[in-house]
Amino acid sequence: MPHATLDTPLGPLRLVSDGEALTAASFDPVRLDAEADGPEGADAILDAARRQLAAYFDGEPVAFDVPVRPGGTPFQERVWAALREIPHGATLSYGADGRRRSGCPEPRRPSARRTGRTRWP
């Protein structure tokens, strides 16, 4: 899949695209080796992601609109969708409010584990 590496203040960030959406991002390039199978390249999704992330790291206000397709189980997808609804700069616990937002009644540890398994930093 097309992929690119963006230099950020936090270190190199590898982005992977399927041509229609970002499918993964990681500060650990080894974690994405199987998906980023080929030379670095570019496509419209990677170009837009680079521009928006560069603006973000430069301190500019950014409305991220690059489509993402994280790929996971239905439960993971619900948790990740709930995470995307948290406003920029806000925090939320895995407690009752987090479980309510994601529609996941299970205890917070499974929700936290699912969040930690995302392919997104």
Side-chain angles (χ1 to χ4, degrees), residues 23-113:
T23 57
S26 180
F27 287 104
D28 178 5
V30 174
R31 190 172 175 190
L32 301 181
D33 278 348
E35 293 175 59
D37 60 350
E40 287 209 12
D43 64 20
I45 297 297
L46 292 172
D47 292 343
R50 279 190 212 150
R51 280 192 307 275
Q52 291 178 19
L53 287 165
Y56 171 80
F57 285 118
D58 285 342
E60 299 173 23
V62 178
F64 291 102
D65 61 3
V66 175
V68 295
R69 187 175 303 117
T73 67
F75 175 74
Q76 288 170 321
E77 295 283 349
R78 285 193 311 272
V79 171
W80 297 334
L83 290 173
R84 287 191 298 272
E85 297 300 318
I86 300 170
H88 178 75
T91 58
L92 181 72
S93 76
Y94 291 111
D97 190 47
R99 291 191 310 272
R100 179 187 53 76
R101 283 175 176 251
S102 66
C104 303
E106 67 180 73
R108 66 180 155 254
R109 282 200 177 158
S111 293
R113 278 196 305 271

